[in-house]
């Protein structure tokens, strides 16, 4: 078996084991200290459920990555060690950014943080990534733009941090949705990084994937009545969102796909983010049109539409994850033969038609049962 595949599997395994060990402890502490999320008219769950599952994320992926990198640096040949040494600076800045976002999430889950303060700390985390050298420097033909100046790339990177963090945070509305979409995303990035020889990013993708697997199990299959169910909270969604941004921008350095395989790198990078990022824009515009504060939560997301049609949470989850997989594969296939701007416009058109169809179906159901289901 390939040496890096072995490292990847070990990283996933370590993160899974750590998550399985940490999450039950969080559940015990959360119930003893009454640190849980109480259902209200906006939420779709019943009973009381702790929302501190995201606290397990940074320790799980951090320990897994450190152990794998440490063993490779200590016990392997110089060539393998050099792979990790070259990424040392970016890993240090990534760790700093993750710690800031992680602490912000904990504060928000425990006592609440105003959205202006959230944006401030997200901007700081984005600046740290830019300082590390992680900058969008090429749009690969999107909007018919190629290379961009470093200052513009830095601003785009910071904007992407804010955008994706909030998109993942806002779509976390039913069991398994944010974690399921992120699992698909990390699996996709794993495949890209392995095939292009970017092994440090491969290990990060594996650690994130392994971290989410046990959480997904507790979140989807756990029972509130048995105290085995948990939510990721802002701590989890913000941490995972930042990792997704880091890997998305890292895809820009994929020579194998931008070169001999003739796949458009921009399309490959953003493909896993389409559903959460499109949904947050639609919801933002919907709230503005209704005269509401666009930064305050409501029940206007894509999963709320599916629930309003009468779907169960599990069915809505499967439908959205399947749509995500189809979009990724279709974008991959089109990336070698279509200009990226047209691909994104096609995605927007499909997304718009899907939402129009869902709204029409909801209105028909409302007329049939005589009850308002979706605003």
């Amino acid at each position: 078996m390939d040496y890096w595949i072995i490292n990847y599997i070990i990283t996933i395994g370590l993160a899974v084991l750590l998550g399985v060990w940490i999450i039950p402890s969080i559940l015990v502490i959360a119930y003893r200290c009454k640190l849980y999320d109480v259902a209200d008219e906006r939420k779709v769950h019943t009973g009381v459920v702790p929302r501190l599952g995201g606290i397990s994320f940074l320790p799980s992926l951090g320990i897994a990555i450190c152990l794998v990198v440490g063993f490779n640096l200590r016990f392997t040949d110089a060539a393998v060690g050099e792979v990790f040494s070259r990424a040392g600076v970016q890993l240090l800045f990534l760790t700093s950014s993750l710690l800031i976002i992680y602490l912000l999430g904990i504060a928000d889950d425990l006592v609440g943080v105003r959205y202006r303060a959230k944006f401030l700390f997200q901007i700081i985390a984005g600046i740290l990534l830019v300082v590390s050298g992680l900058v969008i420097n090429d749009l690969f033909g999107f909007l018919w733009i190629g290379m961009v100046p470093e200052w513009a790339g830095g601003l785009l990177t910071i904007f992407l941090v804010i955008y994706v963090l909030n998109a993942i945070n806002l779509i976390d509305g039913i069991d398994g949705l944010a974690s399921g979409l992120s699992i698909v995303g990390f699996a996709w990035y794993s495949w890209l990084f392995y095939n292009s020889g970017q092994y440090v990013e491969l290990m990060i993708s594996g650690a994130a994937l392994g971290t989410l697997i046990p959480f997904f199990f507790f979140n989807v299959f756990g029972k509130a009545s048995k105290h085995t169910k948990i939510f990721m909270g802002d701590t989890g969604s913000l941490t995972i969102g930042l990792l997704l941004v880091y890997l998305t921008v890292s895809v820009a350095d994929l020579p194998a796909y931008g070169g001999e395989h003739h796949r458009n790198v921009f399309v490959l990078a953003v493909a896993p983010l389409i559903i959460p990022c499109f949904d947050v824009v639609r919801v933002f515009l919907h709230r503005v049109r209704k005269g509401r504060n666009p930064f305050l939560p409501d029940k206007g997301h894509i999963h709320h539409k599916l629930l309003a049609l009468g779907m169960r949470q599990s069915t809505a989850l499967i439908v959205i994850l399947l749509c995500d997989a189809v979009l990724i594969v279709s974008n991959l296939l089109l990336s070698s033969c279509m200009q990226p701007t047209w691909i994104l416009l096609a995605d927007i058109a499909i997304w718009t038609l899907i939402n129009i169809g869902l709204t029409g179906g909801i209105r028909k159901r409302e007329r049939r049962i005589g009850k308002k289901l979706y605003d």
Side-chain angles (χ1 to χ4, degrees), residues 135-142 145-147 160 188-189 191-193 196 198 247-273 328 331-332 334-341 343:
V135 176
I136 298 171
N137 52 34
D138 196 336
L139 295 183
F140 299 94
F142 175 61
I145 299 172
M147 299 293 292
L160 189 65
W188 168 250
Y189 289 134
W191 181 70
L192 293 179
F193 290 128
S196 62
Q198 289 190 238
L247 297 175
T248 299
V249 180
S250 297
V251 172
D253 293 326
L254 294 178
Y257 291 92
E260 58 181 298
H261 294 283
H262 305 294
R263 302 288 187 187
N264 186 276
V265 174
F266 176 85
V267 177
L268 299 181
V270 303
L273 305 178
I328 290 174
N331 277 258
L332 170 66
L334 291 172
S335 67
S336 62
C337 61
M338 185 181 291
Q339 214 277 343
T341 309
I343 294 176

Side-chain angles (χ1 to χ4, degrees), residues 2 37 182 269 314:
D2 183 276
D37 196 32
S182 299
S314 57

Side-chain angles (χ1 to χ4, degrees), residues 10 23 32 52 131 164 166 173 177 193 202 207 223 235 260 269 271 278 288-289 298 310 318 320 328 358:
I10 291 172
I23 291 175
R32 285 182 179 175
L52 300 175
V131 172
V164 174
N166 286 283
L177 184 53
F193 290 128
L202 175 65
K223 304 293 183 182
T235 309
E260 58 181 298
F278 279 15
V288 171
R289 185 168 61 87
D298 59 16
I318 292 170
I320 295 173
I328 290 174
L358 290 175

Side-chain angles (χ1 to χ4, degrees), residues 11 13 35 44 62 75 82 130 157 169 189 202 204 212 236 258 260 301 322 347 369:
T11 306
L35 302 172
V44 298
F75 298 108
E82 181 65 21
V130 170
T157 303
N169 179 256
Y189 289 134
L202 175 65
I204 294 172
L212 286 175
E260 58 181 298
H301 293 275
L322 285 175
D347 292 334
I369 66 176

Side-chain angles (χ1 to χ4, degrees), residues 94-268:
L94 173 62
T95 302
S96 300
S97 297
L98 283 171
L99 283 169
I100 290 172
I101 292 300
Y102 180 74
L103 293 173
L104 170 65
I106 292 175
D108 196 29
D109 287 333
L110 292 178
V111 298
V113 177
R114 293 182 180 274
Y115 64 84
R116 291 186 181 87
K118 288 183 184 180
F119 284 143
L120 174 61
F121 285 102
Q122 289 168 10
I123 290 170
I124 293 172
I127 290 172
L128 289 176
L129 292 185
V130 170
V131 172
S132 77
L134 188 81
V135 176
I136 298 171
N137 52 34
D138 196 336
L139 295 183
F140 299 94
F142 175 61
L143 297 177
W144 294 274
I145 299 172
M147 299 293 292
V148 297
E150 188 172 355
W151 65 267
L155 291 177
L156 283 172
T157 303
I158 295 170
F159 171 77
L160 189 65
V161 169
I162 298 169
Y163 186 17
V164 174
L165 263 62
N166 286 283
I168 299 298
N169 179 256
L170 291 173
I171 206 167
D172 183 27
I174 60 174
D175 296 341
L177 184 53
S179 55
L181 289 171
S182 299
I183 285 171
V184 173
F186 289 127
W188 168 250
Y189 289 134
S190 296
W191 181 70
L192 293 179
F193 290 128
Y194 174 72
N195 284 296
S196 62
Q198 289 190 238
Y199 298 121
V200 174
E201 288 78 9
L202 175 65
M203 297 304 110
I204 294 172
S205 302
L209 187 61
T211 295
L212 286 175
I213 289 172
F215 169 79
F216 185 87
F217 179 83
F218 281 99
N219 181 228
V220 174
F221 301 106
K223 304 293 183 182
S225 59
K226 297 182 179 179
H227 292 188
T228 57
K229 190 177 192 66
I230 197 166
F231 297 149
M232 69 167 63
D234 281 15
T235 309
S237 61
L238 294 175
T239 301
I240 291 303
L242 188 63
L243 284 170
L244 285 169
V245 173
Y246 179 86
L247 297 175
T248 299
V249 180
S250 297
V251 172
D253 293 326
L254 294 178
Y257 291 92
E260 58 181 298
H261 294 283
H262 305 294
R263 302 288 187 187
N264 186 276
V265 174
F266 176 85
V267 177
L268 299 181

